[in-house]
Amino acid sequence: MYIRVIRRKNKNGSVTGYVQLAHNYRDPNTGQPKAKVLYTFGREDEIDLEALRRLAQSIHRFVGDEFTAGRGQSEGIQTTLLDSRPMGGAYLLDELWRQLGLDEVLRERLADRKFKAAVERVIFAMVANRALAPSSKLAMEEWVDREVALPGMTELDVWQAYRAMDFLHDVAEDLQYEVFRRVSDLLNLDVDLLFFDTTSTYFETEDESDDSLRRKGYSKDHRPDLPQVVIGLAVTRDGIPVRCWTWPGNTADMSVVEEVKQDLIGWRLGRVITVVDRGFVSESNLRILQRAGGHYIAGEKMTSGKPAVEAALARPGRFRELRPNLKVKEVVVGDGEARVRYVLAFNPEEAKRDEARREAMLRELRMELERLKELQGEAHTKAHCRLASHPTFKRYLKQDRWGNLRIDPEAVRQAAHLDGKYLIRTSDDTLSTEDVALGYKQLLMVESAFRTLKTTLDIRPMYHRKDERIRSHVLLCWLALLLVRIAEVQTGRTWSDIRSHMQAMHQVTKSTPDGMVVQRTETTEAQREILRALRIKEPPRILKVEPRARGL
C-alpha cells in the first residue's frame, strides 16, 4: 500500500497532480503487476503530503503489512477504534436503489421543490430501515445516527422523515408508474401475467374514523377489535411487486376490482391476464377483468351452488398428471356465449391433509354433541343454537325429527369428494391447461409478499393517523418489498439469509496520531457471492481518510 501522485495535462498546457492511495496486485490473466486505487485525496497543491505519508505508515501498521519508507520497519503506534457499525445491508440496498434508477426518479420530481434536506436520501433511509431493522419514524433518528452506515447520510430528523412522506404521497401515482417502467426495462419483467390479492393491517388503537382510512372490517390478521386499512398488491409471476393500493379498512374485496383494472389499463401494459382468488369472483368483476383485451384466471368457490360449478365438478373424466403433486382435467360447461372453461386441479398430498383436518374436526364435533341435552321435541337450548350456528361445524350438522343435532353423513361425503381439489375458471382459450393450473398456483407469490410485508418488514401495527401518512407508510413498505424481492430472485436466497451475511460487513472508524481512517471489514465468500449475483461491485476497502493537520 502506498501513496502516489498522478499528473494530468490540462487544455491550457498546465499540469495538475492528483494524490491517490493505492496498492499493487498481480493480474491473474497477464501475470503483470497493476495498481489498484483505494482512495483519491484530491489535488496535490491542496493537501498536506507529509501528513499523508505519516498516515500511510499508520495504515500499514494497523493492517499488519511490513512498511519501509527508506528508514527500515516502523515502530508500533497507538490506534484508537472509534466506531464500528453494519454497512453491508445498506450498501446492497443503495446499489439496487441506484440500479433501478429510484434515486433519479425521486430527484426528477424534487427538481421544482425547495427542500433543505436531501429528501431522496431520507426516503431511501426509511426504505432501508423497513428492510434491515423496522422501527418507528421516531426511533429511526437513533438508528441512522448510531446503528447503521447509510450511504450519503449520517443523521436524520424525524420531521424530515414526515415531510419526505408528505412529498411521497403527492407523487405516489406518478412514482409507481415510473418505478414500474424502469424496473420492467431493467429486469425484463414478464408482465403478461399479473397476480392480485388483498390483505389488511391494523392500528394499535381502538379509535376509528368515518372520514379516514382507519375503519373496522373483516380482519385477515384476526384483530376485528382494531381499526385497519386494506392493502392491495399486484405482483409478477416472479413475485416482483409492481403496484400497491390502500383502501379503508371496511372495503370488501369484491368492490376493488374495477379500480385496480382501471389503474392498470392506464399503464398500457398490452395483453395482461389477471390472476385473482375466489374472493374477488363475481360475474361483473370477471367482465371488468376482460376490458381492453384482458383476460383472467380466477379461483371458483366449489360450494357456491352455481349450476355451472356443479356441472364442472360432476363431469366425469380422468385427471392428467402434470407434476407428482398436481393432476388436472379440463371441463367446458355450456355453449356459445354461455360457454365457461374450467380447469379442475387435484393435489394428492393436499387431499391427505384435508382428510386429516376434517377427521380432527369431526372428533371435536362429536365431543360437543355428547355434551348436549337430548331433546324430545322441546325448544333448543343456547348450547344447541351456538353449535348449530358455528362457522365450521354447521355445514356437517342436521336435525332429527325431535330437534336433536346429528352429524350429516351426506355432508361429510360431499366434503370428502372435494379433498385436495380446487376449481379454476379462465376466459383465455389460448392458454394450455398446464398454464392455467400453474398460473393460479403462482398466486401464492402474493401471499408470500404479504407475509414478507407483515413479518420481515413489520408493516403492522401502524401508528399514523393522517391518511396521507398511512398511504406513504404503505408505499415505503412496497418500495422495500421491491428491493427485497429483487435481491431474493436474483440470488436464489431468502432475504433473512442475505441480510444476515451482508450486515456482518462493518464500517470501522479508527484514529491514529496522524489522522483518521474509515475502512470496511474484509469481504467474506458469502458476501462476494451475493454481490456477484446482483452485479454489484464490492465497496472500496478504504472509505475515507482525514490526515491530521500539522501542529495539532
Side-chain angles (χ1 to χ4, degrees):
M1 192 181 297
Y2 58 92
I3 292 175
R4 68 177 187 175
V5 179
I6 300 297
R7 304 190 186 281
R8 295 175 182 168
K9 189 174 182 178
N10 302 316
K11 290 183 178 179
N12 61 7
S14 62
V15 176
T16 302
Y18 293 90
V19 182
Q20 299 174 334
L21 180 65
H23 79 92
N24 289 335
Y25 71 100
R26 190 169 298 278
D27 189 311
N29 297 320
T30 65
Q32 299 298 315
K34 288 188 176 182
K36 181 177 181 179
V37 177
L38 299 177
Y39 192 80
T40 300
F41 295 93
R43 291 170 51 132
E44 179 184 17
D45 56 351
E46 295 178 350
I47 60 176
D48 185 347
L49 288 180
E50 184 57 35
L52 288 180
R53 293 189 183 95
R54 294 195 304 272
L55 183 59
Q57 288 179 300
S58 300
I59 293 171
H60 276 270
R61 293 188 191 98
F62 181 81
V63 298
D65 292 342
E66 187 177 285
F67 182 84
T68 56
R71 299 176 296 180
Q73 187 168 348
S74 302
E75 300 177 0
I77 191 168
Q78 279 191 335
T79 300
T80 304
L81 184 63
L82 301 178
D83 184 63
S84 178
R85 60 180 68 187
M87 65 159 286
Y91 173 77
L92 179 149
L93 292 169
D94 188 52
E95 288 297 307
L96 286 179
W97 183 266
R98 296 178 190 279
Q99 277 185 16
L100 300 175
L102 301 184
D103 55 333
E104 295 178 6
V105 171
L106 290 171
R107 280 199 292 267
E108 287 171 2
R109 281 141 190 82
L110 284 162
D112 59 347
R113 302 197 180 215
K114 296 181 180 179
F115 286 101
K116 292 183 179 179
V119 174
E120 180 271 330
R121 286 289 84 189
V122 175
I123 292 173
F124 170 73
M126 290 188 286
V127 171
N129 176 257
R130 286 288 109 195
L132 297 174
S135 60
S136 68
K137 304 303 179 291
L138 191 61
M140 273 189 62
E141 288 185 339
E142 184 172 348
W143 183 71
V144 173
D145 293 349
R146 301 184 182 186
E147 299 176 19
V148 69
L150 282 174
M153 192 167 204
T154 56
E155 59 182 9
L156 174 72
D157 180 87
V158 67
W159 293 109
Q160 293 176 349
Y162 288 143
R163 285 191 291 273
M165 291 179 73
D166 293 341
F167 159 76
L168 200 59
H169 176 266
D170 292 344
V171 301
E173 291 297 317
D174 183 37
L175 173 67
Q176 288 189 84
Y177 173 70
E178 188 62 24
V179 169
F180 166 76
R181 187 181 67 79
R182 292 182 179 231
V183 170
S184 298
D185 291 343
L186 184 67
L187 301 181
N188 295 318
L189 290 186
D190 186 355
V191 293
D192 64 328
L193 209 60
L194 280 181
F195 301 84
F196 175 77
D197 205 347
T198 65
T199 190
S200 59
T201 189
Y202 56 84
F203 297 81
E204 203 62 81
T205 174
E206 295 182 0
D207 297 333
E208 63 175 332
S209 176
D210 291 340
D211 58 352
S212 80
L213 294 171
R214 293 179 293 107
R215 304 294 298 275
K216 290 182 179 179
Y218 173 70
S219 174
K220 298 183 181 181
D221 293 320
H222 309 292
R223 292 302 306 268
D225 56 316
L226 296 176
Q228 62 179 20
V229 293
V230 172
I231 298 170
L233 270 186
V235 307
T236 68
R237 65 171 73 226
D238 292 322
I240 306 296
V242 295
R243 179 152 185 155
C244 66
W245 291 264
T246 308
W247 295 290
N250 59 352
T251 303
D253 284 349
M254 285 283 191
S255 66
V256 303
V257 170
E258 184 164 13
E259 180 182 343
V260 170
K261 180 63 177 180
Q262 194 61 43
D263 287 345
L264 294 177
I265 287 176
W267 282 13
R268 300 182 297 278
L269 298 177
R271 179 181 180 276
V272 172
I273 302 169
T274 307
V275 186
V276 293
D277 206 351
R278 53 183 176 266
F280 299 91
V281 174
S282 68
E283 293 305 317
S284 60
N285 278 346
L286 295 181
R287 285 193 296 272
I288 289 169
L289 291 176
Q290 290 181 272
R291 288 180 186 170
H295 284 283
Y296 62 79
I297 296 174
E300 185 78 84
K301 190 175 181 181
M302 292 188 290
T303 56
S304 64
K306 294 180 182 178
V309 171
E310 296 294 330
L313 293 174
R315 186 71 56 85
R318 300 183 64 179
F319 283 94
R320 179 167 58 90
E321 185 171 310
L322 296 181
R323 295 181 178 181
N325 64 339
L326 181 61
K327 299 179 180 182
V328 298
K329 68 176 178 179
E330 181 174 358
V331 180
V332 177
V333 178
D335 298 301
E337 292 185 0
R339 179 179 182 274
V340 181
R341 184 188 180 200
Y342 291 103
V343 173
L344 183 60
F346 174 62
N347 183 331
E349 292 299 320
E350 187 63 28
K352 294 178 183 177
R353 289 190 286 269
D354 286 344
E355 182 181 12
R357 285 191 288 264
R358 186 176 58 259
E359 288 302 319
M361 183 275 303
L362 289 174
R363 284 195 298 271
E364 184 181 352
L365 177 56
R366 291 187 185 100
M367 293 173 61
E368 292 291 335
L369 290 173
E370 288 175 0
R371 296 190 183 101
L372 295 180
K373 173 188 174 183
E374 282 290 312
L375 303 176
Q376 297 296 327
E378 61 262 40
H380 283 167
T381 66
K382 289 183 179 180
H384 282 83
C385 295
R386 185 166 53 249
L387 195 60
S389 61
H390 191 280
T392 304
F393 294 153
K394 65 181 181 181
R395 63 177 295 198
Y396 297 103
L397 292 173
K398 67 176 182 178
Q399 292 185 29
D400 63 18
R401 59 178 177 171
W402 295 285
N404 292 297
L405 297 177
R406 301 285 187 251
I407 292 178
D408 184 352
E410 179 60 23
V412 174
R413 188 193 65 78
Q414 291 178 1
H417 179 65
L418 301 179
D419 284 351
K421 295 176 183 176
Y422 51 96
L423 188 63
I424 312 163
R425 177 176 174 177
T426 182
S427 61
D428 194 332
D429 288 336
T430 67
L431 290 174
S432 68
T433 306
E434 181 176 5
D435 286 341
V436 174
L438 296 181
Y440 183 74
K441 195 172 182 181
Q442 282 181 297
L443 193 59
L444 294 173
M445 286 291 186
V446 192
E447 297 178 14
S448 175
F450 283 139
R451 281 195 298 273
T452 301
L453 277 176
K454 293 182 177 182
T455 56
T456 307
L457 306 182
D458 279 2
I459 193 173
R460 63 182 182 189
M462 290 196 209
Y463 297 95
H464 299 289
R465 298 187 67 84
K466 293 184 176 180
D467 285 358
E468 295 83 357
R469 302 265 171 86
I470 294 169
R471 294 184 190 276
S472 291
H473 177 76
V474 173
L475 199 60
L476 288 169
C477 292
W478 169 72
L479 287 169
L481 180 64
L482 173 68
L483 298 181
V484 164
R485 286 297 299 137
I486 289 173
E488 289 181 330
V489 168
Q490 294 191 345
T491 63
R493 297 170 179 255
T494 65
W495 176 246
S496 60
D497 181 57
I498 297 170
R499 180 174 56 187
S500 175
H501 282 295
M502 294 307 301
Q503 287 296 77
M505 180 185 289
H506 273 231
Q507 173 183 291
V508 180
T509 304
K510 57 183 183 288
S511 175
T512 77
D514 299 311
M516 185 179 71
V517 179
V518 182
Q519 67 182 86
R520 65 171 175 84
T521 53
E522 291 287 349
T523 312
T524 66
E525 184 57 35
Q527 292 166 354
R528 196 172 290 112
E529 289 177 2
I530 291 169
L531 294 175
R532 191 183 301 122
L534 295 172
R535 299 184 180 88
I536 296 175
K537 292 182 178 179
E538 293 182 28
R541 184 76 172 85
I542 305 297
L543 302 169
K544 186 178 181 182
V545 177
E546 291 184 1
R548 194 178 301 280
R550 289 177 178 175
L552 297 180

